[in-house]
Amino acid sequence: MAVHDRAKVYVQAGRGGDGCVSFRREAHVPRGGPDGGDGGRGGDVVVVCDDSLRDLQAFHRSAHFRAGRGGHGQGALRHGARGETLEVRVPPGTEVTGLDGARHDLVAPGQRALVARGGPGGRGNKHFATPVRQAPRFAERGLPGEEGWIDLRLRLLADVGLVGLPNAGKSSLLARLTRARPKVADYPFTTLEPVLGTLEAGDRQLIVADIPGLIEGASHGAGLGHDFLAHVERTRVLVHVLDLAPVDCADPVDHHATVERELELHEPRLAALPRVLALSKADLVPPAQAAEAAVDWRERLRDLQAFHRSAHFRAGRGGHGQGALRHGARGETLEVRVPPGTEVTGLDGARHDLVAPGQRALVARGGPGGRGNKHFATPVRQAPRFAERGLPGEEGWIDLRLRLLADVGLVGLPNAGKSTLLARLVPMEPTAEPLPGEGDLAEHRVFRPAAERGWEVERRGQGGFRVSGPGVERLVARYDLGNPEALAHLEGRLRGLGVIAALEEAGFRPGDDVEIAGVEFELDPSAPL
């Protein structure tokens, strides 16, 4: 089975839905006021690890993926639906390089990586009602989602990797061990991409990977070396296939040293992986010479198992490698689970000692919700058109320290025999030593920086200015500048951000043209809002 191990994919997250301009019109309810709903957020693009896939071949046929757009807001405060999240499925072992350059290594089924965020939906006109502007006739537009090219690179998750120089007999060995049918020929570089085979070993299966031939300088990229060596990184056992009768009559010892050197230069961890040495093409030398070579290599490399074989006669087949191998509802409370014996130092410095299962400690309180306009009605102001905003919750770092809960503690000076006594008192089950580089996946958190808030003001000729900056450009993109109410609201936002003050420092006068995000308009902050 040939493997497609590289793909370039264009992903586009969904655009946010537009907010709605609507007013409540209902019998016996005069001056119902604005009731435009918000637009829904655009759908995200998520890469998901799927163990039913084997390579990236599907992306060579379809390389463009687009998530669903958020629904537009409607009257009666009906919000638009959130855009449908698009899942791009990849096989285990895929390394994803996102739009921001971050790398995600997906090795376990179900692992997910968010590579493109959906655009936020626009707010309906209900949000812009004030005591002065009681009937706003504008709403926000939804913003586009993130889009761009991401790189997918598959590093095979195989139990056994066959490595060696070109034409050393790796494909022949794979064909004998498994039902794979790699191309076999009597010239070098017959295998140009990795080939996988499945070997039945007792009650489990072993995945064997035939890695294309390595040449001197492969660790520096010679002969597509980086592409080939990447597949060796995840294997658990390496089988070094060494030609007993090289075509160039070179010394097999030099060939062996070349491959081992390139493996170590590419990734030092590979030098510590378990090895099996397979002496190939034993049928091309006398049987006595093949047996003598096997003995010689066992003595030369005492930690390795060496055997000689022939694709034609199946002489001396080696043992299989063994692997170790969702009024507003209250926000959902987040529970961070810790083991018994954990001491928690909260945000206020208070310490909580959690020793019994089920014990709980509140370390960060949720922010209070804002009160609705009902709370602000008075005999004078019978129809308040504002409400409170909710406040942010507490946040910060907390410290966790585990103190073991044990009935008996063994103490003493070093080498006093504590471990020996423990072994006598409590029989320990033998634990298989993990292979180098093997272990559980490390848990991690992703911290995403806030959007940039800076901007720059640049003078453009007489009476013209350009303001540039991601935050300001996104703000302008939300409003219809042909709508006088929307433009007045935007001017107020720009003043609150300090943009107007920065323009005035640069010589701006009311009525001058200002360009933001490629849109040029006349800005007059002195006009009444």
Side-chain angles (χ1 to χ4, degrees), residues 77-241:
L77 294 176
R78 290 175 293 178
H79 298 334
R82 184 185 179 100
E84 184 177 356
T85 297
L86 175 66
E87 294 186 349
V88 180
R89 299 190 172 272
V90 297
T94 301
E95 182 182 82
V96 184
T97 304
L99 302 176
D100 55 355
R103 294 186 177 182
H104 311 271
D105 206 8
L106 306 183
V107 297
Q111 269 190 289
R112 303 166 68 87
L114 177 62
V115 295
R117 294 179 179 272
R123 293 177 295 170
N125 65 339
K126 175 68 176 178
H127 291 274
F128 305 103
T130 67
V132 176
R133 187 177 55 213
Q134 299 180 5
R137 299 182 180 276
F138 68 94
E140 286 182 341
R141 295 170 174 170
L143 294 181
E146 297 175 339
E147 59 179 299
W149 292 93
I150 63 172
D151 291 317
L152 305 178
R153 183 177 184 183
L154 176 62
R155 299 185 179 187
L156 297 177
L157 294 177
D159 301 301
V160 181
L162 306 180
V163 297
L165 291 175
N167 204 35
K170 302 181 296 298
S171 298
S172 300
L173 178 58
L174 181 68
R176 282 292 189 180
L177 294 175
T178 72
R179 294 187 177 184
R181 290 296 175 261
K183 183 178 180 180
V184 178
D186 59 352
Y187 54 84
F189 300 107
T190 308
T191 304
L192 298 178
E193 55 189 12
V195 181
L196 293 178
T198 303
L199 175 65
E200 300 289 342
D203 59 348
R204 59 163 297 174
Q205 293 181 330
L206 295 177
I207 304 299
V208 183
D210 175 13
I211 310 300
L214 304 176
I215 63 174
E216 190 169 0
S219 59
H220 301 292
L224 297 177
H226 288 308
D227 293 339
F228 295 161
L229 284 167
H231 295 293
V232 187
E233 296 176 4
R234 301 185 191 275
T235 57
R236 302 176 182 274
V237 177
L238 291 180
V239 175
H240 188 152
V241 182

Side-chain angles (χ1 to χ4, degrees), residues 1-16:
M1 178 177 64
V3 176
H4 295 76
D5 58 351
R6 282 181 175 271
K8 201 174 182 67
V9 177
Y10 191 86
V11 295
Q12 181 178 6
R15 185 185 185 98

Side-chain angles (χ1 to χ4, degrees), residues 361-434:
L362 178 63
V363 294
R365 295 179 179 273
R371 292 177 296 171
N373 63 344
K374 176 69 175 178
H375 292 272
F376 304 101
T378 66
V380 178
R381 185 177 56 208
Q382 299 180 4
R385 298 179 182 276
F386 67 95
E388 288 182 339
R389 293 176 175 172
L391 296 180
E394 297 176 342
E395 62 180 306
W397 293 93
I398 64 173
D399 290 321
L400 305 178
R401 182 176 182 182
L402 178 62
R403 300 174 186 266
L404 296 177
L405 296 177
D407 297 304
V408 180
L410 303 180
V411 297
L413 291 175
N415 203 32
K418 301 183 295 297
S419 299
T420 304
L421 178 58
L422 178 63
R424 288 278 190 178
L425 296 175
V426 183
M428 304 293 287
E429 290 289 333
T431 303
E433 185 178 352

Side-chain angles (χ1 to χ4, degrees), residues 305-342:
Q305 177 183 354
F307 64 94
H308 58 283
R309 53 162 290 281
S310 164
H312 298 286
F313 299 102
R314 299 178 63 92
R317 178 173 176 174
H320 304 316
Q322 299 295 316
L325 303 160
R326 200 215 10 199
H327 305 311
R330 182 184 178 97
E332 184 177 356
T333 298
L334 173 65
E335 293 184 350
V336 180
R337 298 185 178 273
V338 296
T342 300

